[in-house]
Amino acid sequence: MNFEALKPKVTEIIIQFDISKDEKLTKICQLLQDAIPYYNWVGFYFANHETQTLHLGSYVGAETDHTVIPFGKGICGQVAVSNQNFVVPDVSAQDNYIACSLTVKSEIVVPIFVEGKNIGQIDIDSHVLDPFTSEDERFLEFVTQEVAKLF
């Protein structure tokens, strides 16, 4: 399925009135993982600015021990500090990478902003080397803008 066809499906989940925010986030994770073959783990981390940590929210894919990530550590922690998208074509080439699984080959992280503040991010791992394009980035920026409406 192409990204343009997925956009209304994401919006449809966001505006559902009969499910919780966490259920909406889980449904978005599941939609993305089901629709995009190289999205093997899809999850959200949310920032606690007082403790300078990210906390795992809804996700689909293999279980992870990384439920709390300090700002600056790993790809997600770096995005919490930089406020910039981070695309990693080959995680083995990254010095500051927190390995979740030997099957993860690449990662993309896009921050979520609410009123200009980075409140979290969507994190996607792939078992494929270098699958992420600028189209993935633009699509995930759309997703994070939609998710921001929940906060």
Side-chain angles (χ1 to χ4, degrees), residues 39-91:
Y39 283 19
N40 302 113
W41 190 96
V42 180
F44 291 96
Y45 282 93
F46 293 99
N48 180 325
H49 290 280
E50 288 180 20
T51 61
Q52 298 284 287
T53 52
L54 294 166
H55 297 264
L56 182 61
S58 298
Y59 73 95
V60 296
E63 287 203 26
T64 179
D65 293 334
H66 304 124
T67 58
V68 179
I69 299 173
F71 283 15
K73 297 288 185 189
I75 307 308
C76 291
Q78 290 177 74
V79 170
V81 174
S82 73
N83 298 321
Q84 302 289 318
N85 298 350
F86 199 157
V87 179
V88 182
D90 180 356
V91 296

Side-chain angles (χ1 to χ4, degrees), residues 88-127:
V88 182
D90 180 356
V91 296
S92 70
Q94 282 293 313
D95 291 336
N96 189 1
Y97 174 69
I98 301 172
C100 292
S101 160
L102 294 175
T103 58
V104 176
K105 304 289 186 220
S106 57
E107 183 173 7
I108 185 170
V109 179
V110 176
I112 303 166
F113 294 100
V114 174
E115 296 176 4
K117 184 175 186 178
N118 182 344
I119 63 142
Q121 54 205 224
I122 189 168
D123 176 22
I124 299 174
D125 293 341
S126 180
H127 299 164

Side-chain angles (χ1 to χ4, degrees), residues 1 11 18-19 22 28 30-31 33-34 36 39 44 59-60 65 69-70 89 92 113 117 119 133 139 149:
M1 177 174 290
T11 301
D18 57 342
I19 62 173
D22 287 341
I28 289 169
Q30 193 66 60
L31 172 69
Q33 186 187 54
D34 290 348
I36 304 167
Y39 283 19
F44 291 96
Y59 73 95
V60 296
D65 293 334
I69 299 173
S92 70
F113 294 100
K117 184 175 186 178
I119 63 142
T133 68
F139 171 67
K149 296 174 183 176

